Amino acid sequence: MTSEVPARNPILDRPRRVAYVALGCIMVGLGILGAMLPVMPTTPFLLAASFFFARSSPRLNHWLLNSPVFGPFLRDWDRHRGVRLRVKVVAVVAMVTAVAASIVWGNLAWPIIVLLLMLATIGLTVVIKLPVIRDAPPVDRPV
């Protein structure tokens, strides 16, 4: 007769759960900040927040996935591992507009402009390489 000890679920471990909730909240904050700053991404931080919330707080994960602003693309990423074409276009246009505005009106030194352009190029490359979710074509119905 063997007495097996059931494996502990890390989600039930209180210190880890508290740390994951804190990390998730920090990631949401960085994601919101990234939505407003031209060189800081939003999506990776929100994906990380969803990762932490899914393992620590179903309530916070539900809140994030049902957010009217961030929920749709997080659900798309979770289900399809891609983004809709509209999301990609909006991200590219917003990034280019923010970088251009920073260069034109930011009164930045040349080294900062070069750094901004390098970071924007990396960000644009990441966004452009994201897989696009193609909606299923409409089904032809007999008349």
Side-chain angles (χ1 to χ4, degrees):
M1 181 173 190
T2 62
S3 60
E4 293 183 29
V5 177
R8 269 184 22 179
N9 184 348
I11 294 176
L12 300 179
D13 184 6
R14 182 164 171 76
R16 186 175 298 175
R17 187 174 67 240
V18 169
Y20 275 25
V21 167
L23 286 169
C25 291
I26 290 168
M27 294 297 133
V28 168
L30 289 172
I32 291 169
L33 191 60
M36 295 182 269
L37 297 175
V39 296
M40 192 167 169
T42 299
T43 305
F45 292 117
L46 294 176
L47 291 173
S50 184
F51 170 87
F52 289 123
F53 288 158
R55 285 154 181 78
S56 62
S57 173
R59 182 178 58 84
L60 288 173
N61 193 45
H62 181 266
W63 166 78
L64 186 61
L65 292 175
N66 289 303
S67 159
V69 176
F70 303 124
F73 79 85
L74 286 171
R75 289 189 304 269
D76 281 344
W77 185 262
D78 189 43
R79 291 182 190 133
H80 308 291
R81 293 294 185 247
V83 297
R84 305 230 176 246
L85 183 59
R86 180 181 175 278
V87 170
K88 189 182 271 199
V89 169
V90 168
V92 168
V93 168
M95 198 178 313
V96 169
T97 302
V99 169
S102 296
I103 290 171
V104 171
W105 293 297
N107 196 22
L108 303 172
W110 279 106
I112 301 298
I113 291 173
V114 170
L115 179 63
L116 179 65
L117 289 171
M118 287 173 31
L119 291 172
T121 301
I122 293 168
L124 285 170
T125 302
V126 169
V127 170
I128 289 169
K129 287 189 171 219
L130 288 173
V132 175
I133 299 170
R134 303 278 182 214
D135 290 327
V139 178
D140 290 335
R141 294 186 181 155
V143 180

